Amino acid sequence: MTVLAHDWYRGGIPANVVLGRDVYVDTAYSFAPFFSEEEQALVMGEASGAYDRTAFVVGARGRVTVGAYTVLNATTLVCNDRISIGAHCLLAWGSVVTDTWPDAGASPEARRRALAAAAADPHRRLPPVSPPRPVTLEDNVWIGFDAVILPGVTIGRGAVIGCKTIVRENVPPYAVVAGDPARILRTLDPDDTEEARLRALRDHGHDHAR
Amino acid sequence: MFHPLIPGAALPDDWFAGTIPRNIIAGENSVIDSSFCFKHYYAQGAVGLRVGRNVTIWRASLAADEGALIEIGDDTYVANASLVCTERISIGARVMIAGGVTIADSDFHPIAPAARLADTVALSPVGDRKRRPPVEARPVVIEDDVWIGFNATILKGVRIGAGAVIAPGALVLRDVAAGTEVAGNPAQPIRGGAA
């Protein structure tokens, strides 16, 4: 367990969390709900960051990867299987990415069983009511504030999810999605080439590859 | 506990170790609860915040970029809301702004994928925030006697006409006519006006 020098929270970062070079974590409070028993249960790429009240709500079998330069700004990740977030993603405050949520067909009995299991657990972990379904955010995805990404969804490279949007279905690359219900407003010009990425890194004095 | 908005002042018993910025103008009997409201205030102009008389601000975030100007009219009440200003946010008199409201005159990041990618590098622990790519800002104007409900969001370029009501949770992308009520995401008129 690693304790952060600047932290107000008394806990630390679990040993199965792998932080790349120049990663910033505001507080180990982000890991208070982190219970993964997997090896390399959370891998954060170079110069990524978990800011403010970001929460890693990760169950025993959960595995999360966060790509280089990705910003988790007061974001909640709920993972009982797999959440994969690419490089250069922006996840704004209040946004939620979850691979676990009761299916439409989940019975009240199943929810009661989950609640009973939580009540019997000193850590009050809530087991999945429905089987988790992995979520993938490809590179350079932007999730607006208070948006929610539900289980099984893949969001394509460069896509933008507007604030307060609930995403239940896959989003194609470079789509701009907003509204309730969510719909595609337009498609962006895919100008985020490898050359553009290297230029941005060079511009900030980091010309090594990811 | 409220304190008068006095430019440059340190508030007595403030739990946050900040001060009221010097480049503000505030009218008589306008108050704030903590300098924490200015945690993200970086306005550098001669005036970055102009507040009328009898204004109440508590647990709010007055986030202002270097060139920003936030204007708040007389008797307006701002509770637990975020004003995120790159250029200009003008709020009229007797406006009620409820908790969880966000008013922003930009989208915070560029929308074009390459510029957005560059922004992630600039914002990263190894980047230089002073060299972020530019974001488009369009001023927000909220006229007199508007009521903005809990968790509503007002986005860039929007003008809200006098006396309009923004329902809780609404996401407002387009102008709202005076005297109408709008709700939903995106917000649509539900009462009053021509619609």
Side-chain angles (χ1 to χ4, degrees):
Chain A
M1 200 162 88
T2 309
V3 174
L4 300 166
H6 57 261
D7 205 350
W8 58 271
Y9 183 71
R10 289 190 184 186
I13 298 178
N16 56 350
V17 171
V18 182
L19 303 183
R21 188 161 123 179
D22 297 321
V23 168
Y24 180 77
V25 176
D26 253 347
T27 170
Y29 187 53
S30 293
F31 295 95
F34 186 93
F35 296 102
S36 182
E37 295 162 9
E38 298 286 322
E39 281 180 49
Q40 307 210 337
L42 168 65
V43 179
M44 290 189 64
E46 173 184 340
S48 60
Y51 300 89
D52 201 342
R53 282 162 289 177
T54 291
F56 297 104
V57 185
V58 182
R61 299 275 77 86
R63 288 168 302 147
V64 179
T65 53
V66 176
Y69 295 92
T70 281
V71 177
L72 305 176
N73 185 14
T75 297
T76 299
L77 305 182
V78 180
C79 180
N80 286 288
D81 183 2
R82 187 89 173 86
I83 291 178
S84 171
I85 298 175
H88 300 286
C89 291
L90 294 163
L91 288 87
W93 61 94
S95 64
V96 176
V97 178
T98 180
D99 71 357
T100 308
W101 191 248
D103 294 340
S107 65
E109 289 70 28
R111 296 204 297 274
R112 282 183 204 145
R113 278 196 300 276
L115 290 166
D121 177 356
H123 296 298
R124 298 287 163 139
R125 286 167 290 186
L126 195 59
V129 171
S130 304
R133 290 186 288 146
V135 176
T136 300
L137 274 54
E138 295 179 353
D139 291 347
N140 205 15
V141 164
W142 175 14
I143 310 290
F145 68 84
D146 290 346
V148 178
I149 314 302
L150 289 169
V153 165
T154 293
I155 299 184
R157 178 187 179 103
V160 177
I161 310 300
C163 58
K164 308 209 266 193
T165 303
I166 314 299
V167 180
R168 298 175 169 84
E169 294 169 14
N170 292 348
V171 172
Y174 301 102
V176 178
V177 171
D180 179 24
R183 58 195 183 94
I184 297 176
L185 304 184
R186 62 185 169 117
T187 300
L188 300 171
D189 176 27
D191 61 354
D192 55 341
T193 56
E194 181 63 9
E195 193 190 348
R197 189 178 81 86
L198 293 174
R199 197 184 320 121
L201 293 178
R202 257 197 317 274
D203 191 38
H204 288 268
H206 283 254
D207 51 1
H208 45 80
R210 137 187 8 154
Chain B
M1 186 67 180
F2 287 101
H3 306 281
L5 256 176
I6 298 170
L11 305 180
D13 301 324
D14 194 356
W15 63 271
F16 186 70
T19 55
I20 306 299
R22 292 183 185 282
N23 60 342
I24 72 163
I25 295 175
E28 183 192 340
N29 193 38
S30 286
V31 295
I32 201 158
D33 65 332
S34 169
S35 63
F36 187 65
C37 296
F38 293 100
K39 188 180 179 206
H40 302 290
Y41 179 95
Y42 304 106
Q44 297 296 322
V47 179
L49 171 69
R50 181 181 292 123
V51 174
R53 305 170 65 229
N54 302 323
V55 169
T56 306
I57 300 172
W58 58 265
R59 210 177 281 196
S61 173
L62 305 172
D65 285 349
E66 285 191 11
L69 171 60
I70 299 174
E71 297 176 300
I72 302 176
D74 294 346
D75 305 300
T76 283
Y77 198 102
V78 183
N80 197 8
S82 294
L83 310 186
V84 192
C85 184
T86 295
E87 194 175 304
R88 190 151 178 167
I89 295 176
S90 298
I91 299 169
R94 301 171 303 279
V95 173
M96 298 175 70
I97 301 177
V101 166
T102 301
I103 301 171
D105 69 349
S106 86
D107 295 331
F108 317 114
H109 304 287
I111 195 157
R116 183 150 37 89
L117 186 154
D119 203 21
T120 68
V121 177
L123 290 169
S124 78
V126 298
D128 179 358
R129 282 172 173 261
K130 290 197 171 64
R131 291 191 295 133
R132 293 183 60 184
V135 295
E136 182 199 359
R138 285 193 278 135
V140 173
V141 177
I142 296 166
E143 297 180 355
D144 296 345
D145 300 295
V146 167
W147 171 32
I148 303 176
F150 291 99
N151 289 357
T153 301
I154 317 292
L155 294 181
K156 69 179 191 296
V158 165
R159 172 180 285 269
I160 299 180
V165 175
I166 311 301
L171 187 142
V172 183
L173 294 159
R174 313 240 178 275
D175 290 356
V176 175
T180 57
E181 178 169 358
V182 299
N185 174 8
Q188 308 282 347
I190 57 172
R191 202 168 301 150

